[in-house]
Amino acid sequence: MKPDEAVAALAAIVGTEHVVTDPAQLAPNLSDWRGRYHGRALCKVSPADTAQVAAVVRLCAAADLKLVPQGGNTGLCGGAIPAGPDQVLISLGRLRRIRAITADTITVEAGCTLAEVQQAARAAGKLFPLSLAAEGTASIGGNLATNAGGVQVLRYGNARELCLGLEVVLADGRVWDGLRALRKDNTGYDLKQLFIGSEGTLGIITAAVLKLFPAAKSRVTAWVAVCDPAAAVALLDRLRAQCDERVTAFELIGRTALDLVLAHIPDSREPLAGRPAWSVLCELSDSSSEAGLEGCVEQVLADALADGEVLDATLAASAAQAAAFWRLRETIPEAQRIEGPSIKHDIAVPVASIAAFLARCDAALQAAFPGLRIACFGHIGDGNLHYNPSQPAKAANEALMADAEAVHRIVYDLVHAFDGSISAEHGVGQLRRAEIVRYKSPVEIELMRVVKQALDPANRLNPGKVV
Ligand SMILES: Cc1cc2nc3c(=O)[nH]c(=O)nc-3n(C[C@H](O)[C@H](O)[C@H](O)COP(=O)(O)OP(=O)(O)OC[C@H]3O[C@@H](n4cnc5c(N)ncnc54)[C@H](O)[C@@H]3O)c2cc1C
């Protein structure tokens, strides 16, 4: 089939207005959020439902075209960017229905934004706890395909742990209906786990059954100045010991990251004086309104202050103030984008090793690249840090960017030495394809290739990504 015949056949499936070939209209879908990847595609096609997704996949198989799934295009590893004239970008944005909601589950289509899923849960008096800064744009299909984490993993787990069932269109166009709402099902391999985190390389997720939780009735949000990352981890231990599973989020924010927000994000104000080197934003919540949560947090902070672990702390006095605290954390990626390039890392090490890892990694980088500054922030309760070096001066920063490979090697070799992960939550995409081969064992890489070969023998789905 010639390319124009394939485009016409796709239009016959989804309707002419849902196939885009015009370069200007395609452009936003062909660049990633960080502007690092600029791709090419035969066209963008936007099916309306699972049957149309399946028909598009079958047509692409017959026409020997590749398929690149895209949700909100907020991914940070270039996974959703197609890279050739034989690639069809399949947008899930029209699969937008909330199919069902029960007391403890919600069944949604892949193109719903994360915010829409949260809102549907809220309207039913429930909580869907996955939460990240891109939630207004990111799709639930993309969240599952990247096994997204975010700020509440500490308490509720990442996307994988929040998913009970999936509906997936396979590489040959068949539909696997795994939309089960079961918390127990030991009838063989747990197939949904293969597709979660596979970044569109094994199947196209069209719908999911997700877990719901009781909505929070009380919430305490605190901004805390700590002397160093070890003190932050010690504070987390105290909070967990005293307030138990009610610790919902616990974010570490380094001075450089906070300074970028204060410089670039309008109306941002630091909650505490003294310009501490490290701050913690933590949130505790309870589904009861009589939980004595505030008293518990105040007591923990007073004890930590007395023991010198905490330098200063303030509790948000209103929902607006809590939102202002969160804005400081959630606009860090945007502030970095405005500031200019930095070398991005999304790493995890065991929580107990964070302080030692940071001390060694900071020292090794400073020795190799004097004057370097590191925007370090992230989900310290999960051992996950975003660790992004740059040089303050433009020319020096350009030189550093040219040496990104050497920076990665220092950081990733140390992450590996600490038994960590070189991609805690953003995934592999195009960005870290070579890196995973370096750090995973040959057995693990071989197992990944065997799975890919079994589910997508023609390498039709998202070629050039992950494996
Ligand atoms: C400001 C900002 C903050 C972020 N914060 C976090 C964070 O805290 N935690 C975190 O984990 N991530 C974070 N991210 C990245 C995160 O991975 C994405 O925001 C989100 O999970 C991806 O969803 P998306 O719909 O945009 O996917 P896309 O970018 O469209 O796609 C991402 C990958 O999934 C595949 N894919 C998309 N939809 C499907 C589908 N239906 N079926 C199969 N494959 C599919 C794509 O092919 C691609 O490989 C952040 C991103 C931004 C821009």
Side-chain angles (χ1 to χ4, degrees), residues 88-107:
V88 171
L89 189 153
I90 180 162
S91 167
L92 281 300
R94 291 177 68 214
L95 277 77
R96 213 63 175 242
R97 283 188 310 139
I98 305 289
R99 289 194 191 167
I101 188 156
T102 70
D104 63 352
T105 64
I106 184 167
T107 306

Side-chain angles (χ1 to χ4, degrees), residues 33 69-76 79-80 92 110 132-134 138-139 141-143 145-146 148-150 199-200 203-205 333 379 425-426 462:
W33 191 82
Q70 192 176 92
N73 196 18
T74 67
L76 298 175
L92 281 300
L132 44 88
S139 68
N143 297 151
T146 58
E199 301 181 50
I204 301 177
I205 297 167
H379 321 297
E425 59 177 12
H426 294 164
N462 219 356

Side-chain angles (χ1 to χ4, degrees), residues 293-329:
L293 198 54
E294 193 163 314
C296 182
V297 177
E298 278 171 349
Q299 188 58 55
V300 170
L301 289 172
D303 292 346
L305 206 59
D307 290 349
E309 272 169 22
V310 160
L311 304 172
D312 198 0
T314 179
L315 302 192
S318 63
Q321 201 177 12
F325 289 1
W326 273 108
R327 197 161 165 269
L328 290 172
R329 163 63 185 87

Side-chain angles (χ1 to χ4, degrees), residues 1-2 5 18 28 40 43 136 170 189 192 204 258 270 272 293 315 372 395 398 418-419 422:
M1 202 180 294
K2 291 192 184 129
E5 290 169 351
H18 299 299
R40 289 176 70 194
C43 62
L170 305 175
Y189 305 137
K192 67 176 179 294
I204 301 177
L258 188 53
E270 186 163 3
L272 295 170
L293 198 54
L315 302 192
L372 183 118
E398 279 166 11
F418 276 87
D419 287 328
I422 63 158

Side-chain angles (χ1 to χ4, degrees), residues 416 436-446:
H416 191 61
I436 62 164
V437 177
R438 183 185 282 264
Y439 293 108
K440 282 183 182 287
S441 71
V443 173
E444 201 167 342
I445 293 291
E446 177 61 18

Side-chain angles (χ1 to χ4, degrees), residues 145-391:
T146 58
N147 186 26
V151 293
Q152 302 199 125
V153 173
L154 189 62
R155 178 162 175 184
Y156 296 102
N158 49 20
R160 185 183 299 286
E161 287 160 90
L162 296 171
C163 181
L164 292 170
L166 283 184
E167 178 186 82
V168 179
V169 174
L170 305 175
D172 60 8
R174 284 179 300 162
V175 178
W176 173 56
D177 180 357
L179 281 179
R180 296 176 200 119
L182 300 174
R183 285 173 193 257
K184 287 188 151 184
D185 178 14
N186 281 350
T187 53
Y189 305 137
D190 190 351
L191 295 176
K192 67 176 179 294
Q193 301 298 356
L194 281 179
F195 299 103
I196 299 172
S198 71
E199 301 181 50
T201 61
L202 300 180
I204 301 177
I205 297 167
T206 47
V209 185
L210 306 167
K211 293 180 192 171
L212 294 179
F213 295 81
K217 293 213 179 72
S218 55
R219 191 182 305 277
V220 175
T221 309
W223 189 276
V224 186
V226 292
C227 9
D228 53 32
V233 173
L235 176 63
L236 175 61
D237 287 346
R238 278 180 193 266
L239 278 168
R240 280 177 147 165
Q242 301 293 321
C243 309
D244 213 354
E245 84 287 351
R246 294 179 294 178
V247 185
T248 308
F250 195 89
E251 299 286 304
L252 181 72
I253 302 160
R255 186 75 244 162
T256 301
L258 188 53
D259 279 343
L260 292 178
V261 172
L262 297 171
H264 294 302
I265 304 296
D267 304 324
S268 49
R269 291 228 328 263
E270 186 163 3
L272 295 170
R275 292 184 47 77
W278 297 94
S279 304
V280 162
L281 170 58
C282 62
E283 192 158 279
L284 292 89
S285 60
D286 200 296
S287 52
S288 151
S289 49
E290 307 293 332
L293 198 54
E294 193 163 314
C296 182
V297 177
E298 278 171 349
Q299 188 58 55
V300 170
L301 289 172
D303 292 346
L305 206 59
D307 290 349
E309 272 169 22
V310 160
L311 304 172
D312 198 0
T314 179
L315 302 192
S318 63
Q321 201 177 12
F325 289 1
W326 273 108
R327 197 161 165 269
L328 290 172
R329 163 63 185 87
E330 297 199 321
T331 52
I332 297 172
E334 182 60 20
Q336 289 183 119
R337 189 157 78 152
I338 296 168
E339 174 76 3
S342 58
I343 302 176
K344 306 288 193 293
H345 303 98
D346 162 39
I347 54 169
V349 294
V351 177
S353 303
I354 281 183
F357 165 80
L358 284 175
R360 276 184 63 188
C361 204
D362 288 3
L365 285 175
Q366 286 299 346
F369 303 96
L372 183 118
R373 61 183 180 174
I374 301 163
C376 177
F377 60 98
H379 321 297
I380 190 172
D382 313 323
N384 176 194
L385 293 174
H386 304 302
Y387 186 81
N388 304 333
S390 63
Q391 288 283 11

